[in-house]
Amino acid sequence: MPNPAPRHFLTLLDLTSNELDWVIQRAIALKQIRNSNTLYEPFRNQVLGMIFEKSSTRTRVSFEAGMAQLGGHALFLSSRDTQLGRGEPIEDSARVISSMVDIIMIRTFDHAQVEEFARHSKVPIINALTDDYHPCQLLADIQTFVEHRGCISGKTVTWIGDGNNMCHSYINAARQFDFNLNICCPSGYAPNPQLVKDNAQRIQIISDPKTAVQGSHLVVTDTWASMGQEDEKKARELAFANYQVNPELMDLAADDALFMHCLPAYRGLEISHDMFNDPRSVVYDEAENRLHAQKALMEFLLLNPNIDA
Ligand code: CP
Ligand code: NVA
């Protein structure tokens, strides 16, 4: 019998809201399993292929450690050392690699490349960051919010800074997890206008950071120059100078507001030196939750759980 078409996770829209809620709750449960030193190895003999065309610390370590903890194995495939980096067509790479491993994660530049890879893959593909989206980070961010403050539905989140891949994934998250999103970017650095238009009822564009954070339950920022934009660093530092998140800005948000940043962070630029260790910052919990959230995601994609049980 042919295998059914695999489910992929290229953006947050690939899972339903119910499925995403299952992943978040499962992530919290898997964290407890790990913290209680309970052996849980559903992925024995399963292999995760990890294709990296950009640098990574958290994504690589969390996927590789997570797969090992669940009894499986992870293969690190850098484009520098594979034929992908020498121009072998994506279709051929997808057909070959997916005939040998059980699940694949890809970090690359052009989002169309993960879509192309997924079209030709026999196994689930996970987007581990493209220029357009970073959905795995959002699983960890939502898990972190739920752990600290409970359900995010109906809350107000403010995105400060670049209208980048993380901002786009926050727009999708607002839709899937039912929260309001204020977006505060300097002129010329707004997110994809079509994505904003498609989600207009949940989004407010506010150009002044002090106005944007008012009443927010979560304030989020990211680097001003993403991977691939290194040449723009200086120009961006000028354009984003008034968009730093610091304790004074956080004081204007809701009393119980949290601060998140996907990391790596640049102290003195998008966040002040004292913001990292401010009591409202949960950036280290957020980073750790990459591990638990992606284990839950891989369970969802590989084990086809009954999410209504
Ligand atoms: N947040 C994140 O994806 O970090 P890395 O680039 O270190 O993987
Ligand atoms: N926006 C950043 C996120 C890094 C995890 C980048 O794409 O470089």
Side-chain angles (χ1 to χ4, degrees):
M1 215 172 72
N3 286 334
R7 296 283 299 271
H8 302 299
F9 185 63
L10 308 189
T11 75
L12 288 167
L13 306 187
D14 285 332
L15 268 58
T16 65
S17 294
N18 278 351
E19 289 169 341
L20 289 168
D21 286 340
W22 182 90
V23 170
I24 300 301
Q25 291 306 321
R26 186 64 190 152
I28 293 168
L30 286 169
K31 188 172 185 173
Q32 282 162 359
I33 290 173
R34 173 160 165 75
N35 289 344
S36 63
N37 285 323
T38 308
L39 200 63
Y40 173 62
E41 297 189 324
F43 291 161
R44 286 186 79 82
N45 297 320
Q46 307 250 343
V47 178
L48 164 72
M50 304 192 302
I51 298 173
F52 280 97
E53 299 198 300
K54 286 179 173 174
S55 303
S56 169
T57 297
R58 279 144 289 270
T59 304
R60 178 176 176 183
V61 175
S62 54
F63 269 110
E64 192 161 339
M67 199 60 187
Q69 288 159 13
L70 294 176
H73 183 79
L75 274 179
F76 175 70
L77 301 164
S78 148
S79 55
R80 267 197 304 277
D81 314 310
T82 58
Q83 302 290 4
L84 258 174
R86 297 181 60 246
E88 183 168 14
I90 290 174
E91 175 173 350
D92 297 355
S93 303
R95 286 182 191 274
V96 171
I97 298 171
S98 73
S99 72
M100 299 179 188
V101 305
D102 302 281
I103 185 164
I104 296 169
M105 59 119 286
I106 305 175
R107 169 169 285 199
T108 190
F109 293 85
D110 185 357
H111 189 75
Q113 293 201 348
V114 292
E115 292 177 334
E116 164 89 350
F117 206 104
R119 266 195 296 280
H120 300 291
S121 173
K122 285 193 255 222
V123 303
I125 300 298
I126 296 171
N127 173 6
L129 184 146
T130 62
D131 289 346
D132 292 348
Y133 296 101
H134 194 6
C136 290
Q137 183 67 51
L138 263 291
L139 297 180
D141 287 20
I142 302 298
Q143 180 190 346
T144 308
F145 189 91
V146 169
E147 287 176 337
H148 283 270
R149 295 285 185 265
C151 186
I152 199 165
S153 171
K155 303 284 189 197
T156 298
V157 177
T158 296
W159 176 267
I160 307 262
D162 192 15
N164 63 11
N165 45 9
M166 278 295 300
C167 179
H168 291 161
S169 283
Y170 261 94
I171 295 174
N172 281 343
R175 180 189 196 104
Q176 297 291 63
F177 292 99
D178 187 31
F179 57 80
N180 306 308
L181 182 64
N182 297 337
I183 298 179
C184 179
C185 307
S187 164
Y189 296 95
N192 180 322
Q194 188 60 48
L195 198 56
V196 172
K197 197 165 160 222
D198 292 346
N199 295 281
Q201 71 280 21
R202 292 172 191 284
I203 294 177
Q204 281 210 78
I205 305 287
I206 304 172
S207 53
D208 173 34
K210 292 192 175 87
T211 310
V213 297
Q214 278 172 28
S216 297
H217 304 100
L218 172 63
V219 176
V220 194
T221 192
D222 185 16
T223 180
W224 292 339
S226 286
M227 289 180 275
Q229 297 171 335
E230 288 76 9
D231 293 348
E232 300 174 30
K233 208 164 178 291
K234 281 285 157 237
R236 283 171 171 264
E237 280 176 25
L238 287 176
F240 287 82
N242 294 326
Y243 289 76
Q244 182 184 78
V245 179
N246 50 42
E248 295 70 42
L249 188 68
M250 288 298 296
D251 287 346
L252 303 174
D255 288 346
D256 62 348
L258 295 175
F259 168 72
M260 293 191 198
H261 186 312
C262 65
L263 308 183
Y266 298 86
R267 292 168 173 82
L269 296 179
E270 78 273 9
I271 64 163
S272 61
H273 287 270
D274 51 357
M275 193 59 234
F276 229 82
N277 296 316
D278 185 281
R280 292 164 288 194
S281 165
V282 289
V283 295
Y284 294 121
D285 290 347
E286 183 189 0
E288 179 191 323
N289 281 340
R290 294 292 302 280
L291 174 71
H292 312 298
Q294 288 156 196
K295 284 161 99 170
L297 174 67
M298 290 193 288
E299 271 200 335
F300 177 83
L301 294 172
L302 281 177
L303 304 182
N304 193 21
N306 177 3
I307 67 161
D308 298 318

